[in-house]
Amino acid sequence: MSSEDVADRAALDGERALVGRAVAGDPGAVAEVVRLLQDPLYRLALRMVWRPADAEDATQEIMLRVLGKLDTWRAEARLLTWAYRVGANYLINLRRQTPQLSLDTYREDLADGLAEADYRGPEARLLTDEVRLNCSQAMLQCLARDERIAFVLSDVFELSSHDAAWVLDITPEAYRKRLARAKKRLGNFLNSACGIADPKAFCRCARRVDKAMELGRVDPRRLHFATHPIAPGGRGVREAEQQMVRLHDAAAVIRVHPDYAAPQAKMDAIAGLLESGRFPLLGD
């Protein structure tokens, strides 16, 4: 057995012990489960529903479902992978999502109102970051939900085909086909439209700032992504941008958002609900 296998087994044993304490009603163990899962689940929800406010609501609901099903976890996968499965099932079937966008329509939208020069107004760097991050979220919304989550699990969260297929409860072959469709569609779009993915493409984030503010998609008084809190020790906007430049491919444009942190107020609400005794999620 390799040292990596030994480490994985030790980690899984630790998760078994933690979950066992949580299911038995140990408040500290429940809090630790929430701490381990909240940020990754929030980032998954954010990529599926676009806006932080909707992702907050989705994360709270997913976390409650995870805790409610915690006694069914049999360590067939790592705890987070299992939680992704709970979250994916909820997000794929979520009714309240933005209307389905079209990549062709979105390309036309980006070309309309593109300025001849980069934005040089107040907070130019910050607003350009917001346009870039908001745009990559919009691109994902142009994919059907099953393609979107397949792409997110692989190219954003870097799950193996085996694990991602397990999360989605499909065969690895079916997953790879779904992922290939998503990557082809996004790759074609990015290489034809996005100047980050291909310098010959027409769009530049800094030239979309004025139009984005005019349309209300970017509000300098309330930025959704560029100033979003990040997880302790996680990548910020600058680090994510530098990674994107190093990778310099279509997938990198989508992948490298900062390591956003789940809003603490929602997690505190979950803790309060559990402590109230009015929502007995876990066994006695």
Side-chain angles (χ1 to χ4, degrees):
M1 183 180 295
S2 69
S3 58
E4 185 176 338
D5 290 336
V6 171
D8 286 343
R9 177 168 291 185
L12 192 59
D13 288 343
E15 290 178 349
R16 282 195 187 97
L18 174 65
V19 170
R21 295 197 305 273
V23 171
D26 180 346
V30 175
E32 179 65 10
V33 169
V34 172
R35 187 192 68 79
L36 287 172
L37 301 181
Q38 64 184 24
D39 289 346
L41 288 176
Y42 175 70
R43 290 193 283 268
L44 176 67
L46 188 60
R47 292 315 192 97
M48 289 297 292
V49 302
W50 193 349
R51 295 300 187 189
D54 292 333
E56 291 174 27
D57 292 340
T59 304
Q60 183 174 16
E61 179 60 33
I62 293 167
M63 186 62 71
L64 291 173
R65 292 183 180 213
V66 165
L67 294 174
K69 296 174 179 288
L70 203 55
D71 62 347
T72 70
W73 179 64
R74 297 290 180 265
E76 63 270 55
R78 292 293 301 272
L79 183 61
L80 178 57
T81 305
W82 175 79
Y84 282 150
R85 185 170 185 165
V86 177
N89 183 64
Y90 174 78
L91 292 163
I92 288 172
N93 293 291
L94 184 62
R95 291 184 179 181
R96 188 186 63 182
Q97 290 203 35
T98 54
Q100 180 68 51
L101 302 174
S102 158
L103 284 170
D104 289 337
T105 301
Y106 191 47
R107 183 186 292 105
E108 295 172 3
D109 178 81
L110 290 176
D112 179 32
L114 196 66
E116 294 184 1
D118 291 354
Y119 177 77
R120 300 294 185 190
E123 302 287 359
R125 184 74 179 271
L126 193 65
L127 292 175
T128 299
D129 287 338
E130 182 72 7
V131 166
R132 173 174 59 82
L133 295 168
N134 187 66
C135 185
S136 70
Q137 288 286 90
M139 292 177 209
L140 281 175
Q141 307 310 306
C142 295
L143 297 176
R145 291 186 200 182
D146 60 343
E147 293 179 351
R148 191 187 319 161
I149 199 159
F151 182 88
V152 168
L153 290 174
S154 171
D155 280 47
V156 177
F157 291 93
E158 299 182 324
L159 268 64
S160 68
S161 294
H162 178 273
D163 285 346
W166 184 85
V167 166
L168 298 178
D169 196 21
I170 59 177
T171 67
E173 182 182 9
Y175 174 76
R176 286 190 289 269
K177 289 180 179 178
R178 188 179 297 180
L179 176 62
R181 290 197 305 269
K183 293 179 77 167
K184 182 177 181 180
R185 294 186 63 206
L186 277 177
N188 289 343
F189 171 83
L190 284 160
N191 289 325
S192 66
C194 178
I196 298 173
D198 186 339
K200 294 179 290 186
F202 67 85
C203 194
R204 300 292 184 276
C205 301
R207 299 184 184 185
R208 283 289 302 174
V209 174
D210 280 318
K211 189 66 175 182
M213 289 194 293
E214 177 189 330
L215 295 172
R217 294 174 183 168
V218 168
D219 182 351
R221 299 163 299 180
R222 186 168 179 249
L223 301 180
H224 290 295
F225 302 109
T227 59
H228 194 297
I230 62 171
R235 300 170 305 164
V237 173
R238 292 281 77 78
E239 293 88 349
E241 183 179 45
Q242 289 166 9
Q243 183 179 358
M244 177 179 63
V245 170
R246 287 196 303 272
L247 294 170
H248 199 71
D249 62 19
V253 178
I254 302 289
R255 183 185 308 132
V256 288
H257 274 239
D259 294 326
Y260 299 125
Q264 193 56 46
K266 292 290 185 181
M267 299 305 105
D268 291 342
I270 291 173
L273 190 58
L274 293 172
E275 292 170 2
S276 70
R278 293 182 291 106
F279 197 85
L281 290 168
L282 307 178
D284 296 329

